[in-house]
Each structure stands twice: as C-alpha cells, then as structure tokens.
Amino acid sequence: MLTMTDTAAEAVKTIVARVPQAADGGLRIRDAGAETGFELSVAPAPEPDDTVVVTEGARVFLDTAASLALNDRVLDAQLEQDGTVRFALAAQG
C-alpha cells in the first residue's frame, strides 16, 4: 500500500485546508492512464471504491487503478518558499 513521508503528510494537510468545502477531506489521486499520468484533486470524501491512506491526520484517496499502480511506493513532497508543493514517488525500502 502507498505510504507517505511526514513531509508529504504536512503538504497534503496544507493543501486540503485551503479548500473550505473539503476541510475533513483529502487529496484524491486518480490514475488517468499511461499518457496522462496521475491526476490530483482535493475531495471532501473518498469515492466508494477508493483506498484511503492516512498518515498523521493527512488523508489520501486512491482510485482502484492508482491503488494498484502505487502499491509499493512512498509519496514524498518538497515545500517551496512560495508555497508551491512538488510531490515525488519513490520505491518503498
């Protein structure tokens, strides 16, 4: 199952907090296919078939295809001075 670093968890909580309608929601990752990659969005709740990953209160919702594709990955993030976030995936050690 996908895991998150502490930095990624903080980034997810920060992003979700910016969307008042999704205050108790999470970051949804959808596998949009080989040509497009993954789509990220803030969602107020998971879809019925989503896998929910929780780390330090941060919630990530994975659609079925993303859950399979990211099964052995770690989500990390880099927080920039201007408030932007860059997410990265690494293999689980």
Side-chain angles (χ1 to χ4, degrees), residues 37-54:
F38 296 103
E39 291 180 355
L40 303 172
S41 61
V42 174
E47 296 292 324
D49 293 335
D50 283 354
T51 298
V52 179
V53 176
V54 181

Side-chain angles (χ1 to χ4, degrees), residues 3-92:
T3 60
M4 279 187 276
T5 65
D6 293 344
T7 305
E10 275 304 310
V12 168
K13 288 190 283 189
T14 299
I15 291 168
V16 172
R18 294 178 185 164
V19 182
Q21 309 89 310
D24 296 322
L27 183 70
R28 186 157 195 273
I29 302 176
R30 184 177 84 83
D31 188 342
E35 291 182 20
T36 306
F38 296 103
E39 291 180 355
L40 303 172
S41 61
V42 174
E47 296 292 324
D49 293 335
D50 283 354
T51 298
V52 179
V53 176
V54 181
T55 301
E56 294 187 16
R59 299 185 341 143
V60 172
F61 312 139
L62 304 167
D63 77 354
T64 303
S67 181
L68 291 171
L70 301 176
N71 185 47
D72 60 348
R73 301 290 179 193
V74 177
L75 182 66
D76 195 7
Q78 181 178 357
L79 304 170
E80 302 294 337
Q81 294 286 16
D82 65 0
T84 60
V85 177
R86 289 182 183 210
F87 285 104
L89 293 166
Q92 291 181 6

